[in-house]
Amino acid sequence: MDIIHLLPDSVANQIAAGEVVQRPASVIKELMENAIDAGASTIDVLVQDAGRTSIQVIDDGKGMTETDARMAFERHATSKIAKAEDLFTLQTMGFRGEALPSIAAVAQVKLTTRTAEQELGVQLCIEGSRVVLQEVCSCPVGANFEVSNLFFNVPARRKFLKSNQTELNNIIQDFERIALVNPSVAFTLSSNGNQLMQLPAGSSLQRIVGIFGKKLGEQLLPVQVETSLVKISGFVGKPEAARKKNSSQFLFVNGRFMRHPRFHYAVMEAFSHLVPEGDQVPYFIFFKVDPANIDVNIHPTKTEIKFESEQEIWSIIVAAVRDALGKFNAVPTIDFDVEGRPDIPAYDARGLGDVKVPRVQVNPGYNPFSGRGEGRKSSSRQWEKMFEGARGKEQGAIEHGGEPDIPGNPLASCPLPPAPNDALFPEADRSTQHFQYKGQYILTAVQSGLMMVDQRRAHIRILYERYMHQMQEHTAPTQGLLFPELLELSPSDAALLTGILDDIRSLGFDITPLGGSSFSIVGTPSGQSNPVAVVQQMVESVKQQDGGHADALHHRLALVLARSNAIEVGEVLSPVQMETLIGDLFQCEIQNLSPSGKTILTILQQEQIDKMFGTP
């Protein structure tokens, strides 16, 4: 009995959709690329609920006839290629003929389209690869794709979509990639009726500024080189634009975004010894090569591309970027051209005669903290009587567990916590048995040996749990700023911040949108410094979020704020501050690990100490 049979087209399309349509952003990417191939000069993207409910892509391209509209949803139906040889001369974004049938297999699709030669257009409705409506209609030239209820017939795929904010971030990311490489096309992006980006047609630099803001545009240097192998154009950031992470880095080839770790390394190689190791420099590099010398038919996403002359292009990239850095004086240079400059005579000590060179007299034994120093002999001690009463109060506060309110002291306002449990700290060792080592570790004698605590990680854990509690209970205090601070972000970052404003406000920030990509910070958590940088760090951190739950978002926000306010490595602590820090740490739910999973404390057992000294 024969058991092998052909799968129905609907099933085959759902299988293909598993690779082509992974999330709402995949649908937008495919529809925008089709609009580019259709010669559109304006493309509008509208999404509802980050694409879960509705995705609409409207273009003014050449449109489709009634027959082409039906054929476009058939598997492997395309106008881009006709034979295998065409794969080596590709000039379009798409060519597989899999996108539209894959989308129609897992969503409800309505297409309205008309060509310039026709007076009336056609409207086509498809649900799960099945045509449910086809009729003539009146519509403008171009195409209007409306995709509703994505994965309505594949509930498992729909269930594993991330949070709306995460999915919207992915949509913005793919939108930016296509908009960057097509500056001659006008784009708009709207989410739930709010316009996130409006990008008019213009130059490449104008498009970069429109997406990422003027600040980044001022930090870019042009790159331009043309060889027989490749034509390279674009922009690289100045060394001072380097960041630890989340720097804007884009590579494009023949109008297509690509991922190429080797070419990324080539750009960073040009910045070696100019930026700290591990820092990333923004760049926007556009390659123009003969289509016959690359292979884009590797993966359905078409972001992995093979180059025939990869090593040669690598060398050209390094040389081109270094040339741009040198041409615009972005690196130190040595100038040996002295022609026409005044002759400055060299120093000659023999011509000074009896002139004596002035010398600075110093007393190497002077100690400003000692009354016996030479510099304090003539000073009066009468001023000390004015502060005798204050000194007594200060001493009394210290004896009772307090700490003078010293400006900049991160632990000054912390009350002395209850003593840790008796099992760890015996009564005999509960005095000031804390010692600071190299401004980083606190050493404390415990019953089982010697405990070593990383002071910064401990403080991060303390602040992190405090902020998490404040976010859950909405009890964070807010301190109003005398002069509000202006926060300007890129359109994509502004959209992200708008989505998490309520969560940031629960930490004590008072942020007011000013319209566009600008915000006003009018209040901060008590004692918070540099709020603009902290909020920017929060936005960057949320960009990396993979989880779809509110807890994951709260974790990232609280961790950024804790790191910004925690004591730094090398900060000297008094015995009372160390006691406070250790006590607060042992009041936390987790004492031995930081929020990022790093070790906070370790105990050197007494047996290990005895063994090191050879004690029996």
Side-chain angles (χ1 to χ4, degrees):
M1 181 178 181
D2 299 333
I3 59 174
I4 297 177
H5 57 276
L6 288 173
L7 289 174
D9 286 344
S10 59
V11 178
N13 287 337
Q14 284 192 17
I15 294 173
E19 289 187 339
V20 179
V21 184
Q22 301 174 356
R23 57 198 334 150
S26 306
V27 176
I28 291 174
K29 171 182 175 293
E30 298 293 345
L31 295 180
M32 289 181 70
E33 288 180 347
N34 282 345
I36 295 295
D37 289 340
S41 60
T42 302
I43 300 176
D44 300 321
V45 180
L46 304 91
V47 298
Q48 291 287 334
D49 300 326
R52 295 171 185 265
T53 302
S54 172
I55 297 170
Q56 192 170 12
V57 178
I58 307 170
D59 69 73
D60 60 354
K62 58 186 177 183
M64 288 182 281
T65 64
E66 183 176 356
T67 302
D68 285 344
R70 283 293 300 266
M71 284 296 296
F73 290 95
E74 298 295 330
R75 292 188 67 203
H76 307 304
T78 179
S79 62
K80 315 297 175 60
I81 62 174
K83 53 186 182 298
E85 290 75 12
D86 294 340
L87 289 172
F88 303 104
T89 58
L90 284 174
Q91 300 292 339
T92 58
M93 301 294 290
F95 57 88
R96 291 173 176 269
E98 292 181 337
L100 290 182
S102 296
I103 294 170
V106 294
Q108 299 168 339
V109 180
K110 181 170 72 173
L111 167 62
T112 306
T113 183
R114 178 172 76 89
T115 63
E117 294 79 15
Q118 297 176 314
E119 294 184 359
L120 295 175
V122 61
Q123 185 176 90
L124 195 63
C125 296
I126 302 177
E127 294 183 3
S129 298
R130 184 171 58 90
V131 178
V132 297
L133 175 67
Q134 180 177 339
E135 62 182 6
V136 176
C137 67
S138 176
C139 62
V141 175
N144 182 342
F145 282 90
E146 186 172 349
V147 181
S148 306
N149 300 321
L150 185 63
F151 300 130
F152 78 100
N153 55 352
V154 191
R157 293 288 299 277
R158 188 175 180 88
K159 182 177 67 175
F160 284 102
L161 289 177
K162 304 298 183 182
S163 68
N164 280 359
Q165 189 58 57
T166 301
E167 295 299 339
L168 182 59
N169 291 343
N170 286 295
I171 290 173
I172 292 174
Q173 187 180 68
D174 282 334
F175 179 89
E176 290 174 347
R177 291 171 178 172
I178 296 177
L180 279 172
V181 79
N182 295 283
S184 60
V185 180
F187 293 89
T188 62
L189 173 63
S190 300
S191 174
N192 296 337
N194 299 319
Q195 190 174 85
L196 303 184
M197 275 187 267
Q198 182 176 13
L199 305 172
S203 65
S204 294
L205 184 58
Q206 290 173 331
R207 180 55 50 88
I208 293 171
V209 170
I211 295 176
F212 299 102
K214 295 180 181 178
K215 184 177 180 180
L216 178 60
E218 295 170 353
Q219 298 175 324
L220 297 179
L221 301 173
V223 177
Q224 188 76 36
V225 65
E226 185 170 357
T227 69
S228 58
L229 286 178
V230 61
K231 178 182 179 181
I232 299 177
S233 61
F235 303 88
V236 295
K238 299 176 182 178
E240 54 265 30
R243 301 166 64 180
K244 286 294 182 184
K245 54 186 176 181
N246 296 327
S247 190
S248 302
Q249 298 176 330
F250 296 89
L251 295 173
F252 302 94
V253 58
N254 293 354
R256 189 189 308 276
F257 172 78
M258 69 171 176
R259 303 180 188 276
H260 205 295
R262 185 164 172 78
F263 288 171
H264 163 77
Y265 175 73
V267 177
M268 298 312 301
E269 176 68 17
F271 284 89
S272 60
H273 308 299
L274 295 178
V275 299
E277 186 175 355
D279 281 14
Q280 300 294 318
V281 178
Y283 58 77
F284 305 84
I285 306 294
F286 303 86
F287 299 85
K288 189 68 176 178
V289 300
D290 185 348
N293 294 332
I294 61 174
D295 185 4
V296 300
N297 190 26
I298 297 176
H299 191 272
T301 60
K302 300 185 282 290
T303 58
E304 300 177 17
I305 299 176
K306 295 292 185 182
F307 286 74
E308 182 177 334
S309 305
E310 185 173 295
Q311 180 58 43
E312 291 80 0
I313 295 177
W314 189 94
S315 302
I316 295 172
I317 296 172
V318 176
V321 175
R322 285 179 175 169
D323 178 66
L325 292 172
K327 185 183 299 182
F328 294 93
N329 296 321
V331 296
T333 58
I334 300 176
D335 191 354
F336 294 99
D337 185 9
V338 296
E339 184 178 354
R341 296 184 182 178
D343 185 17
I344 302 176
Y347 169 75
D348 186 3
R350 294 174 297 178
L352 294 178
D354 296 332
V355 178
K356 295 183 178 180
V357 179
R359 298 182 180 274
V360 178
Q361 300 293 333
V362 297
N363 179 10
Y366 170 65
N367 182 354
F369 301 101
S370 172
R372 298 185 300 272
E374 181 180 332
R376 294 172 63 107
K377 286 183 179 180
S378 61
S379 64
S380 173
R381 302 288 295 232
Q382 298 300 319
W383 60 268
E384 294 184 353
K385 295 180 181 181
M386 300 173 58
F387 298 94
E388 286 180 356
R391 186 184 299 108
K393 293 179 181 180
E394 178 183 305
Q395 184 63 30
I398 295 177
E399 291 174 356
H400 288 84
E403 176 70 13
D405 192 6
I406 304 172
N409 180 357
L411 301 173
S413 59
C414 298
L416 186 64
N421 57 69
D422 294 339
L424 186 62
F425 293 91
E427 189 69 30
D429 293 338
R430 200 173 288 171
S431 57
T432 56
Q433 298 295 323
H434 305 298
F435 303 93
Q436 194 175 23
Y437 177 69
K438 290 191 175 180
Q440 183 173 0
Y441 303 104
I442 298 174
L443 310 182
T444 301
V446 295
Q447 277 187 332
S448 57
L450 181 64
M451 181 174 69
M452 293 170 281
V453 179
D454 187 304
Q455 67 182 38
R456 175 167 170 79
R457 293 180 186 176
H459 202 201
I460 289 175
R461 165 56 68 179
I462 295 166
L463 295 177
Y464 169 81
E465 294 199 4
R466 182 182 303 168
Y467 296 146
M468 288 292 288
H469 176 75
Q470 290 175 350
M471 295 180 76
Q472 294 167 2
E473 303 296 330
H474 298 279
T475 58
T478 300
Q479 178 180 350
L481 297 178
L482 183 60
F483 300 102
E485 297 204 24
L486 180 63
L487 172 64
E488 293 184 343
L489 301 172
S490 66
S492 57
D493 287 353
L496 193 155
L497 177 59
T498 302
I500 61 174
L501 263 183
D502 290 340
D503 299 284
I504 293 182
R505 285 169 178 159
S506 67
L507 281 168
F509 286 93
D510 188 358
I511 303 177
T512 303
L514 299 178
S517 302
S518 300
F519 300 82
S520 176
I521 302 179
V522 298
T524 65
S526 180
Q528 179 65 51
S529 61
N530 202 358
V532 172
V534 172
V535 175
Q536 288 175 335
Q537 290 171 16
M538 288 180 174
V539 172
E540 293 292 344
S541 179
V542 173
K543 280 184 179 180
Q544 307 172 26
Q545 181 178 340
D546 294 326
H549 302 288
D551 289 344
L553 173 63
H554 291 176
H555 161 76
R556 288 186 176 273
L557 297 179
L559 183 56
V560 169
L561 192 58
R563 285 174 173 169
S564 69
N565 291 329
I567 55 179
E568 297 292 340
V569 173
E571 190 162 344
V572 178
L573 303 181
S574 69
V576 175
Q577 290 174 322
M578 288 188 281
E579 178 73 18
T580 300
L581 188 67
I582 296 296
D584 281 349
L585 176 63
F586 280 92
Q587 299 302 313
C588 294
E589 295 182 5
I590 301 174
Q591 302 95 19
N592 61 330
L593 292 176
S594 69
S596 56
K598 295 181 179 179
T599 301
I600 293 178
L601 62 86
T602 186
I603 296 179
L604 186 60
Q605 300 294 330
Q606 185 64 43
E607 293 80 3
Q608 295 175 277
I609 298 175
D610 293 340
K611 186 175 180 181
M612 286 189 293
F613 286 94
T615 305

